[in-house]
Amino acid sequence: MSEELSRTAKSVKNAQVALIFYFINLVLQFFSRKVFLDYLGAEVLGLNTTAQNLLGFLNLAELGIGSAISYSLYKPLFDKDSRVINEIVSVQGWLYRRVAVVVIVAASVLMCFFPLIFEKAKVPLWYTYASFSVLLFSALLGYVFNYRQIVLTADQKEYKVTLNIQGIKVVKVLLQILAITYLANGYIYWLVLEFLMSIVTTVIIEYVLRKEYPWLCPQPRLGGLLRKKHTEIIKKTKQIFFHRIGGFAFTQSSSIIIYAYASLSLVAIYGNYMLVATGLQMLVNAIFNSINAGIGNLVAENNKEHIISVFNELFSLRFYIVAVVCYGYYMLVGPFISLWIGGEYMLDCVTLLLITAILFIDLIRSIIGSFCDAYGLFQDVWATLVEACINIICSAWFGAIWGLPGILSGVLLSLLLMIFLWKPYFLFKYGFKRSVFSYWKLYLKYFLAGVFAAFICNNLSTNLFKFSCDDSLLLVLHLAISVFLFGIILFVILYGISRAMRQSIHRLILYVNSK
């Protein structure tokens, strides 16, 4: 029980810190973007965003090494085997140094084409080279020095990484805002701060790692020999690479198809809805990503019955939170957009329902993915490719017939087939080694509870609050109360019908009492 409390405490602490910095960064992102636009203009902001996107594309060369290393570290961390940990991190350092070389070569080639890529940019060309070079330098520090922070993450101490990296980022952004606002040539100071703070981050991470793990002394130069001993890392890296490529193709193809079949104005309207949806995804991920290392630690313990029990508890909590988030999104996003930029930018109910359904499945899928990662189940590389193919073919086909709702239907179909049906079957067969029907039964029971709660809530809110919907603020208040009622009703239902939900709540109460 003490081990379980420790695991819960670490997960809660990680989630608390992640949520705090989520909201801080959300506010800072809003203000920094406005300052950028007001003082530097849309051209410089667009240049900076493009440079980040190009670097993100180059970072695909990482191949998924980090995920493979995390999986490999769970067992030795559980066993407190410092020798094996050093060997695994040495292999990581050896691999990352080769990735750094690939990124440098690719970036050098790419920069040769900057005069063509940014031909229409209304800013000096040296801005482009300077922006990209500074961001590239920061990324390379991660490959050459900061890679060892993965031990903190795998050891359920991600809050230490978040506190230091995100804390420095907050200071950096505040200084950049002040520099742009009050100093001449503000963008130059923005670049200098970006460069200096990346070095400060590296130094602080080094200090934290030396203090936390004084025995951690990886030797990347020996990684080439050690990789022959830890062949599983290379095997898992290759598998994860295909998942990354498939996922990249999946997300990018959807955007291209929408551009092809919808008007530019409809694309812009859809983009507003997706902006809100992405924010909600980041919020839910900030809560639950902190438990991934705890799941890895749990799987390393290898108590099958306990693993299944914790899975059901986590699924129950995640389903409840995701259901409330998605119900709130469906009810409030339309009025929010109407108040924000005008009623002419709202989508129809069918399209909104499809977006909400995609958001729901996408948020639920992560609990399956977390356990698959903990078990090292990456061998179904074909599944990601099939998912991308179904999405591309069906979205293009349905989009030609029904437009945007058709495109979204294609995306939803691919998610239902591969994420709702295949992934749980894959986890239960090769990870839990149990029948998947218990999961689908639990999912169906919870889903019906959610539909019933929504039905009751809509009827209650309609009868209790009767007023003209012409007043937008009153309408938003009415819908917010409806979401609050939905949360209470669904919680009562799930707590009553689900033992796993009761166990998860009791576990949280036990943690609070222990404090």
Side-chain angles (χ1 to χ4, degrees):
M1 181 59 71
S2 60
E3 176 68 26
E4 200 58 33
L5 266 177
S6 174
R7 198 151 41 215
T8 303
K10 289 176 180 177
S11 295
V12 171
K13 191 165 188 176
N14 287 336
Q16 287 173 337
V17 175
L19 278 172
I20 290 169
F21 279 100
Y22 166 80
F23 287 110
I24 292 173
N25 284 323
L26 193 66
V27 173
L28 281 179
Q29 185 181 28
F30 172 78
F31 282 109
S32 63
R33 190 176 183 86
K34 180 173 175 54
V35 169
F36 237 104
L37 286 169
D38 290 346
Y39 289 89
L40 300 177
E43 283 288 316
V44 177
L45 178 60
L47 167 66
N48 188 266
T49 304
T50 304
Q52 290 175 339
N53 291 339
L54 289 172
L55 188 61
F57 177 74
L58 291 180
N59 281 334
L60 277 174
E62 195 268 347
L63 305 175
I65 295 169
S67 298
I69 295 296
S70 290
Y71 158 72
S72 302
L73 284 172
Y74 292 141
K75 187 67 167 65
L77 281 168
F78 181 78
D79 295 335
K80 296 181 171 55
D81 191 336
S82 58
R83 181 183 61 81
V84 174
I85 293 169
N86 272 304
E87 289 180 357
I88 291 171
V89 180
S90 295
V91 175
Q92 181 193 17
W94 181 80
L95 290 169
Y96 268 9
R97 288 188 178 186
R98 274 141 189 80
V99 171
V101 172
V102 171
V103 170
I104 290 171
V105 172
S108 300
V109 173
L110 184 62
M111 284 193 284
C112 294
F113 294 93
F114 275 10
L116 292 175
I117 296 173
F118 297 97
E119 184 180 6
K120 297 180 181 179
K122 299 176 182 178
V123 293
L125 192 58
W126 72 264
Y127 267 41
T128 306
Y129 284 105
S131 301
F132 187 76
S133 297
V134 168
L135 295 172
L136 177 63
F137 174 76
S138 181
L140 291 175
L141 285 178
Y143 288 128
V144 179
F145 297 106
N146 300 344
Y147 65 90
R148 291 174 297 166
Q149 72 188 38
I150 199 167
V151 180
L152 285 166
T153 302
D155 200 23
Q156 287 190 276
K157 296 176 181 176
E158 191 171 4
Y159 69 93
K160 292 181 181 288
V161 178
T162 306
L163 276 171
N164 288 283
I165 293 180
Q166 295 298 327
I168 294 169
K169 181 181 177 181
V170 168
V171 173
K172 178 191 73 176
V173 172
L174 288 173
L175 290 174
Q176 287 174 328
I177 289 173
L178 291 173
I180 292 172
T181 305
Y182 296 106
L183 298 176
N185 299 315
Y187 191 59
I188 295 176
Y189 290 101
W190 187 96
L191 292 172
V192 170
L193 285 167
E194 191 76 24
F195 178 82
L196 292 177
M197 286 302 187
S198 63
I199 297 174
V200 172
T201 301
T202 300
V203 172
I204 290 179
I205 289 174
E206 177 70 21
Y207 171 77
V208 172
L209 285 169
R210 285 187 180 276
K211 184 178 179 181
E212 198 71 31
Y213 309 107
W215 45 263
L216 183 63
C217 301
Q219 297 176 290
R221 67 180 183 277
L222 300 179
L225 296 174
L226 291 171
R227 71 186 174 94
K228 297 176 182 178
K229 181 179 179 180
H230 299 279
T231 55
E232 191 75 0
I233 294 175
I234 306 301
K235 177 183 174 183
K236 297 300 180 185
T237 297
K238 291 177 181 178
Q239 293 171 350
I240 296 169
F241 171 69
F242 282 100
H243 285 284
R244 292 282 173 89
I245 294 297
F248 183 79
F250 179 88
T251 54
Q252 296 304 312
S253 64
S254 296
S255 301
I256 293 169
I257 293 168
I258 290 172
Y259 288 140
Y261 286 103
S263 65
L264 288 176
S265 59
L266 188 57
V267 169
I269 294 170
Y270 172 75
N272 295 329
Y273 279 78
M274 290 310 299
L275 185 66
V276 180
T278 301
L280 292 175
Q281 282 180 315
M282 292 172 62
L283 174 61
V284 173
N285 288 336
I287 297 172
F288 284 100
N289 281 357
S290 56
I291 67 173
N292 289 343
I295 293 171
N297 181 269
L298 176 70
V299 169
E301 198 176 80
N302 200 30
N303 184 332
K304 294 289 184 184
E305 294 299 326
H306 188 47
I307 292 171
I308 293 288
S309 175
V310 172
F311 171 82
N312 289 335
E313 291 177 32
L314 290 174
F315 175 80
S316 302
L317 270 179
R318 190 173 186 104
F319 185 96
Y320 171 71
I321 291 174
V322 169
V324 173
V325 165
C326 289
Y327 182 81
Y329 178 79
Y330 181 80
M331 299 296 289
L332 292 170
V333 69
F336 169 76
I337 286 176
S338 179
L339 285 171
W340 177 31
I341 50 179
E344 65 272 20
Y345 293 98
M346 292 175 63
L347 291 171
D348 61 273
C349 291
V350 174
T351 304
L352 176 57
L353 185 62
L354 287 168
I355 294 173
T356 307
I358 291 169
L359 177 64
F360 180 82
I361 295 175
D362 207 33
L363 289 174
I364 286 290
R365 73 189 293 179
S366 296
I367 190 65
I368 298 290
S370 296
F371 276 85
C372 283
D373 290 352
Y375 275 105
L377 296 176
F378 307 117
Q379 63 265 36
D380 63 330
V381 294
W382 62 270
T384 304
L385 301 177
V386 169
E387 181 184 355
C389 288
I390 293 173
N391 172 56
I392 293 170
I393 294 170
C394 293
S395 295
W397 181 16
F398 298 160
I401 302 172
W402 298 303
L404 182 57
I407 295 168
L408 296 175
S409 297
V411 175
L412 183 60
L413 178 62
S414 66
L415 289 175
L416 286 172
L417 291 175
M418 303 311 299
I419 303 305
F420 178 72
L421 294 178
W422 165 251
K423 277 295 184 182
Y425 171 80
F426 180 58
L427 172 63
F428 273 74
K429 181 175 176 61
Y430 297 102
F432 298 155
K433 295 180 170 54
R434 300 287 179 87
S435 171
V436 73
F437 286 103
S438 60
Y439 168 79
W440 285 332
K441 181 181 176 182
L442 184 67
Y443 202 126
L444 180 62
K445 182 167 71 171
Y446 281 21
F447 183 77
L448 292 176
V451 171
F452 183 61
F455 176 77
I456 294 175
C457 183
N458 286 341
N459 280 283
L460 276 177
S461 59
T462 301
N463 293 326
L464 289 175
F465 305 100
K466 293 183 178 179
F467 51 80
S468 172
C469 289
D470 293 335
D471 192 322
S472 298
L473 289 176
L474 279 178
L475 175 61
V476 170
L477 177 63
H478 163 65
L479 294 175
I481 293 172
S482 178
V483 173
F484 179 73
L485 284 174
F486 174 81
I488 294 175
I489 293 168
L490 181 59
F491 178 81
V492 171
I493 294 173
L494 292 182
Y495 191 86
I497 66 172
S498 171
R499 181 169 175 265
M501 186 67 175
R502 291 193 294 272
Q503 285 178 327
S504 65
I505 299 302
H506 292 166
R507 187 188 299 278
L508 290 175
I509 292 172
L510 186 64
Y511 164 75
V512 173
N513 289 337
S514 71
K515 292 295 182 182

